[in-house]
Amino acid sequence: MQQYPDARSVVRALAPDEPVILNRPHAAARAARFFVEKFPGRSLYAVKANPSPDLIQILWANGITHYDVASIAEVRLVHGLLPDAVLCFMHPVKARGAIREAYFQHGVRTFSLDSVEELEKIVEATRGADGEPAGDLRLCVRLRVSSEYSELSLASKFGCDLTEAPDLLQHCRQFADWLGVCFHVGSQAMTPFAYVQALERTRAAIAAASVVIDMIDVGGGFPSVYPGMEPPPLEDYFAIIHRQFEALPIAYNAELWCEPGRALSAEYSSLIVRVEKRRGEELYINDGAYGALFDAAHVGWKFPVRALEDDLIKPVEGFAFYGPTCDDADFMEGPFELPEDIQAGDYIEIGMIGAYGAAMKTEFNGFGASPRVIVEDAPMASLYDGTLLRERRDNVVSLR
Ligand SMILES: *Cc1c(COP(=O)(O)O)cnc(C)c1O
């Protein structure tokens, strides 16, 4: 991949007609080292946030050895890239063929589930040639927890209720060599209290089941930084999770896991787009709802933006974006703050699209292509450069 100092140099060198994805390997490496060094347990990478092979290699090189995969395509991808990585199949509803292939061809032993039907499926699909159930299954029961502190809910689709959990945990214990409980508090959890609540529910489920639990997986949900969404430092999340974990009624050698997607990948990429037309306060740009800006269109996500021209005057105003396809829904309301004299032909950098951005691009209407280059400058915002920590520590009241 071509390497440039920053987005402006890319525009000067290429004057690109298509949107360009800018990757920052140093930012992904820093995020990985942060989790490896500071999370009080094991950190898995949730591949769906961004399945880029380059990113996965960077995370591996910086200490991420376990991967949360949710489809057989993700299993094949990561096993092909990293034959020594530990893969955990954490989608609670899987096809039998996917379970069989993951177990027999890719060495997957850890599976999540939220129903007795899924348990039966896993046990059947992994039976040996002798008809005996596999003796090495590592099962993880997904508990439904609240998403009330998160920007994107994951509360309604997966997870068993507290009324079903004890029975399911007992059933699983008969087939599991190693048994865990997992949950997901929703993506971009804006306070560590989200995990306190979920771990209290976990405690209730374990107490009611009275089975031995070998692992607690607090899932993803760790936030990144976006305009209007500045979370407390991740250290606060880690400290609270550790304290709650230590007080659970689980095996003395039980492990603590987390599965960040967003927090490990958001800072990895940004995007250069070009303004193709201006209509009042609306800018028609060449990427959008069917490209890397899916969340900006569908859930009104605010990504940071900056104009890449040197000669624009300072005052800013709020703009909305239209994407390139012929669909009215290809619209991003923003407002995105840009210089008021921005016009057709100008370029914009849109930051923090490494998680659920670059990964969402489609070919719809012929607009999928995006060259990728490496840049060396800092991401447009960061959880890992110490600035957030300093600001927040000066303002302790906001942590309460
Ligand atoms: C999506 C997902 C993750 C990652 O969530 P983030 O909010 O991106 O950290 C982790 N675990 C599971 C099971 C998921 O579905």
Side-chain angles (χ1 to χ4, degrees):
M1 237 183 279
Q2 280 279 29
Q3 191 153 334
Y4 299 88
D6 57 18
R8 278 168 206 262
S9 335
V10 176
V11 168
R12 274 199 295 271
L14 306 178
D17 278 337
E18 289 167 338
V20 181
I21 291 182
L22 312 180
N23 290 332
R24 291 176 175 80
H26 63 282
R30 181 168 67 179
R33 286 196 303 271
F34 185 95
F35 268 87
V36 169
E37 286 163 19
K38 301 202 172 179
F39 183 75
R42 186 182 296 290
S43 303
L44 284 69
Y45 173 54
V47 172
K48 80 166 186 290
N50 188 335
S52 148
D54 294 317
L55 171 61
I56 291 169
Q57 298 276 12
I58 293 163
L59 298 176
W60 170 261
N62 286 278
I64 302 290
T65 56
H66 288 48
Y67 293 80
D68 160 4
V69 283
S71 62
I72 193 63
E74 288 182 359
V75 172
R76 291 176 193 147
L77 169 75
V78 183
H79 190 224
L81 284 171
L82 307 172
D84 296 328
V86 177
L87 306 188
C88 305
F89 207 152
M90 302 306 260
H91 193 305
V93 185
K94 297 167 284 301
R96 275 169 217 277
I99 300 168
R100 202 174 306 124
E101 181 181 331
Y103 182 87
F104 288 105
Q105 292 181 40
H106 305 287
V108 177
R109 293 295 174 268
T110 306
F111 296 88
S112 84
L113 68 160
D114 62 4
S115 67
V116 174
E117 292 90 309
E118 187 74 9
L119 171 63
E120 284 164 0
K121 232 196 270 175
I122 295 169
V123 171
E124 279 309 310
T126 56
R127 247 178 231 286
D130 55 4
E132 288 296 308
D136 54 0
L137 284 179
R138 297 160 68 97
L139 300 178
C140 199
V141 169
R142 170 87 172 252
L143 208 56
R144 189 202 311 275
V145 298
S146 160
S147 273
E148 66 180 297
Y149 298 107
S150 302
E151 296 291 326
L152 289 172
S153 173
L154 291 172
S156 33
K157 189 167 184 180
F158 297 133
C160 64
D161 289 323
L162 264 187
T163 50
E164 312 153 333
D167 187 50
L168 183 55
L169 283 167
Q170 288 163 1
H171 264 89
C172 286
R173 190 71 263 186
Q174 298 167 34
F175 296 97
D177 183 39
W178 184 90
L179 180 61
V181 177
C182 60
F183 55 76
H184 198 301
V185 299
S187 206
Q188 186 75 7
M190 291 301 292
T191 159
F193 190 66
Y195 296 87
V196 174
Q197 226 182 31
L199 285 163
E200 271 162 11
R201 187 172 279 232
T202 302
R203 156 191 290 285
I206 296 171
S210 39
V211 294
V212 176
I213 296 295
D214 305 291
M215 189 274 278
I216 301 292
D217 176 355
V218 299
F222 297 93
S224 187
V225 202
Y226 304 91
M229 288 187 264
E230 289 203 3
L234 284 178
E235 283 94 336
D236 291 5
Y237 290 71
F238 295 174
I240 285 176
I241 289 169
H242 190 228
R243 200 180 321 136
Q244 294 281 319
F245 169 76
E246 292 279 294
L248 289 174
I250 49 182
Y252 74 96
N253 59 349
E255 294 176 39
L256 174 63
W257 287 15
C258 68
E259 305 167 350
R262 181 183 303 281
L264 286 176
S265 60
E267 297 179 21
Y268 178 56
S269 303
S270 63
L271 178 73
I272 295 176
V273 296
R274 187 168 63 191
V275 179
E276 304 294 8
K277 170 184 167 165
R278 173 169 177 174
R279 185 177 77 182
E281 275 140 39
E282 295 162 339
L283 303 178
Y284 292 64
I285 61 174
N286 56 356
D287 201 281
Y290 297 92
L293 302 175
F294 182 95
D295 279 347
H298 295 284
V299 293
W301 205 265
K302 303 270 180 36
F303 293 98
V305 294
R306 67 182 163 212
L308 295 174
E309 318 300 317
D310 299 318
D311 56 350
L312 295 176
I313 59 167
K314 263 264 136 31
V316 292
E317 66 179 73
F319 291 89
F321 293 156
Y322 274 110
T325 69
C326 302
D327 181 352
D328 268 9
D330 196 354
F331 175 69
M332 294 136 281
E333 193 174 6
F336 299 98
E337 306 265 300
L338 288 161
E340 62 184 22
D341 55 345
I342 194 161
Q343 54 184 316
D346 291 342
Y347 288 92
I348 300 168
E349 182 176 12
I350 302 177
M352 313 299 281
I353 60 123
Y356 310 109
M360 307 293 275
K361 269 184 151 316
T362 73
E363 297 286 325
F364 176 55
N365 218 175
F367 289 103
S370 269
R372 287 162 197 254
V373 301
I374 288 176
V375 289
E376 294 150 6
D377 64 340
M380 285 172 70
S382 181
L383 275 184
Y384 308 108
D385 61 5
T387 49
L388 204 60
L389 187 61
R390 261 199 319 280
E391 281 166 23
R392 288 289 167 159
R393 285 278 144 85
D394 292 345
N395 182 11
V396 175
V397 175
S398 70
L399 290 178
R400 301 274 176 252

Short mmCIF file of all heavy atoms in Angstrom, two decimals, residues 39 50 54 57 94 103 107 129 152 170 181 193-194 220 234 236 246 282 307 310 345 356 360 383 398 400:
data_model
loop_
_atom_site.label_atom_id
_atom_site.label_comp_id
_atom_site.label_asym_id
_atom_site.label_seq_id
_atom_site.Cartn_x
_atom_site.Cartn_y
_atom_site.Cartn_z
N PHE A 39 -6.42 -4.14 30.02
CA PHE A 39 -7.64 -4.86 30.39
C PHE A 39 -7.24 -5.99 31.33
O PHE A 39 -6.31 -6.74 31.05
CB PHE A 39 -8.36 -5.40 29.15
CG PHE A 39 -9.65 -6.09 29.52
CD1 PHE A 39 -10.77 -5.35 29.88
CD2 PHE A 39 -9.73 -7.48 29.55
CE1 PHE A 39 -11.95 -5.98 30.27
CE2 PHE A 39 -10.90 -8.12 29.93
CZ PHE A 39 -12.02 -7.37 30.30
N ASN A 50 -14.51 -4.70 11.60
CA ASN A 50 -13.69 -4.41 10.41
C ASN A 50 -12.84 -5.64 10.10
O ASN A 50 -11.86 -5.90 10.77
CB ASN A 50 -12.79 -3.20 10.65
CG ASN A 50 -12.07 -2.76 9.39
OD1 ASN A 50 -11.86 -3.55 8.47
ND2 ASN A 50 -11.70 -1.50 9.34
N ASP A 54 -5.35 -6.68 6.68
CA ASP A 54 -4.21 -5.90 7.19
C ASP A 54 -4.41 -5.56 8.67
O ASP A 54 -3.49 -5.67 9.48
CB ASP A 54 -4.05 -4.60 6.40
CG ASP A 54 -3.66 -4.87 4.95
OD1 ASP A 54 -2.81 -5.75 4.74
OD2 ASP A 54 -4.24 -4.23 4.06
N GLN A 57 -3.90 -8.59 10.92
CA GLN A 57 -2.46 -8.87 11.09
C GLN A 57 -1.81 -7.91 12.09
O GLN A 57 -0.95 -8.30 12.88
CB GLN A 57 -1.73 -8.76 9.75
CG GLN A 57 -2.18 -9.74 8.68
CD GLN A 57 -1.51 -11.10 8.80
OE1 GLN A 57 -0.86 -11.40 9.81
NE2 GLN A 57 -1.67 -11.94 7.79
N LYS A 94 -26.41 -20.38 14.73
CA LYS A 94 -25.49 -20.77 13.66
C LYS A 94 -26.08 -21.91 12.81
O LYS A 94 -26.89 -22.69 13.30
CB LYS A 94 -24.16 -21.28 14.28
CG LYS A 94 -23.42 -20.21 15.07
CD LYS A 94 -22.31 -20.78 15.92
CE LYS A 94 -22.77 -21.48 17.18
NZ LYS A 94 -23.56 -20.66 18.12
N TYR A 103 -15.63 -26.52 13.66
CA TYR A 103 -15.05 -27.45 14.64
C TYR A 103 -14.02 -28.38 13.98
O TYR A 103 -12.89 -28.52 14.46
CB TYR A 103 -16.17 -28.27 15.30
CG TYR A 103 -15.67 -29.24 16.35
CD1 TYR A 103 -15.50 -28.83 17.67
CD2 TYR A 103 -15.36 -30.56 16.03
CE1 TYR A 103 -15.03 -29.70 18.65
CE2 TYR A 103 -14.88 -31.44 16.99
CZ TYR A 103 -14.73 -31.01 18.30
OH TYR A 103 -14.25 -31.88 19.25
N GLY A 107 -10.58 -25.84 13.80
CA GLY A 107 -10.13 -25.95 15.19
C GLY A 107 -10.92 -25.13 16.19
O GLY A 107 -10.46 -24.89 17.31
N ALA A 129 -16.87 -39.50 14.84
CA ALA A 129 -17.26 -40.61 13.96
C ALA A 129 -17.85 -41.76 14.77
O ALA A 129 -18.67 -42.53 14.28
CB ALA A 129 -16.03 -41.06 13.17
N LEU A 152 -26.00 2.26 20.42
CA LEU A 152 -26.61 1.31 19.49
C LEU A 152 -27.03 0.08 20.27
O LEU A 152 -26.19 -0.60 20.86
CB LEU A 152 -25.60 0.89 18.41
CG LEU A 152 -25.24 1.95 17.37
CD1 LEU A 152 -24.10 1.45 16.50
CD2 LEU A 152 -26.44 2.29 16.50
N GLN A 170 -27.27 -25.19 33.29
CA GLN A 170 -27.18 -26.57 33.79
C GLN A 170 -27.10 -27.57 32.63
O GLN A 170 -26.30 -28.51 32.66
CB GLN A 170 -28.38 -26.88 34.69
CG GLN A 170 -28.29 -26.16 36.04
CD GLN A 170 -29.61 -26.11 36.78
OE1 GLN A 170 -30.62 -26.63 36.31
NE2 GLN A 170 -29.61 -25.48 37.95
N VAL A 181 -20.16 -17.36 30.67
CA VAL A 181 -21.34 -16.52 30.47
C VAL A 181 -20.88 -15.28 29.71
O VAL A 181 -19.83 -14.71 30.04
CB VAL A 181 -21.97 -16.09 31.81
CG1 VAL A 181 -23.16 -15.15 31.57
CG2 VAL A 181 -22.39 -17.29 32.63
N PHE A 193 -21.05 2.10 33.92
CA PHE A 193 -22.13 1.52 34.71
C PHE A 193 -22.91 0.47 33.91
O PHE A 193 -23.51 -0.44 34.48
CB PHE A 193 -23.07 2.63 35.20
CG PHE A 193 -24.07 2.15 36.20
CD1 PHE A 193 -23.67 1.71 37.46
CD2 PHE A 193 -25.42 2.09 35.88
CE1 PHE A 193 -24.59 1.24 38.37
CE2 PHE A 193 -26.35 1.62 36.79
CZ PHE A 193 -25.94 1.19 38.04
N ALA A 194 -22.88 0.58 32.58
CA ALA A 194 -23.53 -0.44 31.73
C ALA A 194 -23.05 -1.84 32.12
O ALA A 194 -23.83 -2.80 32.16
CB ALA A 194 -23.21 -0.16 30.26
N GLY A 220 -18.44 -6.66 23.83
CA GLY A 220 -17.92 -5.42 23.26
C GLY A 220 -18.60 -4.24 23.93
O GLY A 220 -18.95 -4.31 25.11
N LEU A 234 -11.13 4.68 29.26
CA LEU A 234 -11.34 3.22 29.29
C LEU A 234 -10.84 2.61 30.59
O LEU A 234 -11.35 1.58 31.03
CB LEU A 234 -10.63 2.56 28.11
CG LEU A 234 -11.32 2.71 26.75
CD1 LEU A 234 -10.50 2.04 25.66
CD2 LEU A 234 -12.73 2.12 26.78
N ASP A 236 -11.39 3.55 33.47
CA ASP A 236 -12.51 3.51 34.42
C ASP A 236 -13.39 2.29 34.16
O ASP A 236 -13.87 1.63 35.08
CB ASP A 236 -13.36 4.79 34.30
CG ASP A 236 -12.62 6.02 34.81
OD1 ASP A 236 -11.42 5.90 35.16
OD2 ASP A 236 -13.22 7.11 34.83
N GLU A 246 -14.34 -9.79 40.31
CA GLU A 246 -13.73 -10.41 41.48
C GLU A 246 -14.76 -10.86 42.51
O GLU A 246 -14.51 -11.76 43.30
CB GLU A 246 -12.76 -9.41 42.15
CG GLU A 246 -11.54 -9.11 41.31
CD GLU A 246 -10.47 -10.18 41.44
OE1 GLU A 246 -9.93 -10.30 42.55
OE2 GLU A 246 -10.21 -10.88 40.46
N GLU A 282 -26.37 21.78 1.62
CA GLU A 282 -26.24 20.35 1.34
C GLU A 282 -25.07 20.12 0.40
O GLU A 282 -24.97 20.80 -0.63
CB GLU A 282 -27.53 19.82 0.70
CG GLU A 282 -28.71 19.91 1.64
CD GLU A 282 -30.05 19.79 0.92
OE1 GLU A 282 -30.10 20.04 -0.31
OE2 GLU A 282 -31.03 19.44 1.57
N ALA A 307 -12.10 20.03 6.29
CA ALA A 307 -11.85 20.38 4.88
C ALA A 307 -10.36 20.26 4.62
O ALA A 307 -9.55 20.55 5.49
CB ALA A 307 -12.33 21.79 4.61
N ASP A 310 -6.42 24.47 1.70
CA ASP A 310 -5.74 25.43 2.56
C ASP A 310 -6.36 26.82 2.47
O ASP A 310 -6.23 27.62 3.37
CB ASP A 310 -4.26 25.55 2.16
CG ASP A 310 -3.56 24.21 2.33
OD1 ASP A 310 -3.82 23.56 3.35
OD2 ASP A 310 -2.79 23.83 1.44
N GLY A 345 -15.65 20.30 -5.91
CA GLY A 345 -14.23 20.12 -6.21
C GLY A 345 -13.36 20.06 -4.96
O GLY A 345 -12.22 19.57 -5.02
N TYR A 356 -17.21 -0.33 11.69
CA TYR A 356 -18.53 -0.29 11.06
C TYR A 356 -18.63 0.83 10.02
O TYR A 356 -19.69 1.40 9.82
CB TYR A 356 -19.63 -0.14 12.12
CG TYR A 356 -19.50 -1.15 13.24
CD1 TYR A 356 -19.11 -0.77 14.51
CD2 TYR A 356 -19.72 -2.50 13.00
CE1 TYR A 356 -18.95 -1.70 15.53
CE2 TYR A 356 -19.56 -3.44 14.00
CZ TYR A 356 -19.17 -3.03 15.26
OH TYR A 356 -19.02 -3.96 16.26
N MET A 360 -18.61 -1.55 5.81
CA MET A 360 -20.00 -1.56 5.36
C MET A 360 -20.14 -1.25 3.87
O MET A 360 -21.24 -1.23 3.34
CB MET A 360 -20.82 -0.53 6.15
CG MET A 360 -20.71 -0.66 7.64
SD MET A 360 -21.46 -2.16 8.27
CE MET A 360 -23.15 -1.63 8.41
N LEU A 383 -8.71 7.73 21.82
CA LEU A 383 -8.90 7.33 23.22
C LEU A 383 -7.56 7.03 23.86
O LEU A 383 -7.49 6.82 25.05
CB LEU A 383 -9.68 6.01 23.25
CG LEU A 383 -11.17 6.00 23.21
CD1 LEU A 383 -11.63 4.56 23.36
CD2 LEU A 383 -11.72 6.84 24.34
N SER A 398 -17.95 14.83 36.31
CA SER A 398 -18.64 14.22 35.19
C SER A 398 -18.52 12.70 35.19
O SER A 398 -19.20 12.02 34.44
CB SER A 398 -18.09 14.78 33.87
OG SER A 398 -16.78 14.30 33.68
N ARG A 400 -19.17 10.86 37.80
CA ARG A 400 -20.13 10.31 38.75
C ARG A 400 -21.46 10.00 38.09
O ARG A 400 -21.88 10.71 37.22
CB ARG A 400 -20.33 11.31 39.90
CG ARG A 400 -19.03 11.64 40.61
CD ARG A 400 -18.72 10.65 41.72
NE ARG A 400 -17.43 10.92 42.32
CZ ARG A 400 -16.36 10.15 42.15
NH1 ARG A 400 -16.41 9.07 41.43
NH2 ARG A 400 -15.23 10.45 42.74
#
